[in-house]
Amino acid sequence: LAKDSENSEYTNHSAFNKNCYLGFSVVNSEDIMYGFMNFKCQNLVDCSYMYDNCELCYQCFYCHGNYGCAYCTLCRGCTNVWFSFDLSGCDSCFLCYNLRNKKHCFMNEQLSQSDYAQRVAQYKTMTYPQQQDLIQQWQDMIRTKAIHQATNQVNVSDSTGDYLARCHNVHQGYYVSGAENCSYIFQAENLKDVMDASSVAPAEFCYEITAIINDNHCKFINYSYDNTFLEYCDHVFNSQNLFACVGLNRQKFCILNTQYTESEYHRFKEKVIAHMKSTGEYGEFFP
């Protein structure tokens, strides 16, 4: 499923994209190939967990606001950085790790602009064996030289988990960006008051959801977009006030895909929930 996208073939669980190909969970992006969890990015190839307008990047993992970077992991606000790990605010660095606000560094050695240009010139037309050798050096550097933080958190307060950015009061969140008052979240962006969710962007006041885009006040929902007040639904779109429905679009006041009036819907829904509670089948919504 690709929601509101243009020329974006073979993209799944993605939305608001243009010229994207073979991507999963790509949102608000353009010219992406083979992307996974790319949000508000442009011109990326083979990149995963990219946020905040990353542009012209290749083979990068969990980066924020990078430009013209390749083979980078955990880098933020960097430009023209290659084969590096855990850099922040850096420009023109090559095979570096754990640097902050540095420029023209090669293997963590500070160089002049001209010396740096001369050092990296040999790699501008690298052969395939040279590329593979650099990848091996980069991986060895990450494993044997770089310092690894216990958790990766940027602009985060009162939160637990890993790979968090711009979060407040998030409990056990992983690969989450822009969340507040959430618990047990995996791979999500722009959440508020959500619990037990994965592959979501955005959502508010939801519980036990997966593969959701722009849902509010929903619980026990799978692969559904642009809905409000849904319970126990799957593949439902642009709808509201549904209970135990599958495959509906632009509907409201339905139970088991059967149409009711508003008053009938609320009355029958209460009876169904009362029965489910008596048999222990109904999941309570978190406070």
Side-chain angles (χ1 to χ4, degrees), residues 230-242:
L230 267 57
E231 294 187 50
Y232 294 100
C233 292
D234 192 353
H235 282 71
V236 172
F237 308 94
N238 309 292
S239 299
Q240 57 180 309
N241 292 291
L242 304 182

Side-chain angles (χ1 to χ4, degrees), residues 36-38 44-51 54 57-64 66 69-76 84-87 138 142 152 162-163 175 187:
F36 177 67
M37 295 294 291
N38 296 167
L44 308 184
V45 177
D46 291 340
C47 292
S48 300
Y49 299 101
M50 306 291 281
Y51 307 87
C54 286
C57 295
Y58 175 67
Q59 286 280 6
C60 291
F61 173 82
Y62 198 74
C63 294
H64 296 256
N66 286 358
C69 297
Y71 298 99
C72 289
T73 298
L74 305 183
C75 293
R76 303 169 298 281
S84 294
F85 174 82
D86 186 30
L87 270 59
W138 172 55
I142 293 173
N152 298 280
D162 203 359
Y163 298 103
Y175 299 103
Q187 293 181 177

Side-chain angles (χ1 to χ4, degrees), residues 194-197 205-212 215-224 227 229-236 242-246 269 273 276-277 280-286:
V194 173
M195 185 175 184
D196 294 350
F205 294 107
C206 292
Y207 176 58
E208 289 283 358
I209 58 175
T210 184
I212 298 302
D215 278 13
N216 293 277
H217 293 86
C218 295
K219 49 186 173 180
F220 315 115
I221 308 298
N222 177 62
Y223 230 136
S224 299
N227 304 294
F229 298 105
L230 267 57
E231 294 187 50
Y232 294 100
C233 292
D234 192 353
H235 282 71
V236 172
L242 304 182
F243 190 92
C245 292
V246 176
K269 176 185 170 183
I273 292 176
M276 292 177 69
K277 286 183 177 180
E281 299 173 276
Y282 186 76
E284 293 289 352
F285 188 46
F286 77 103

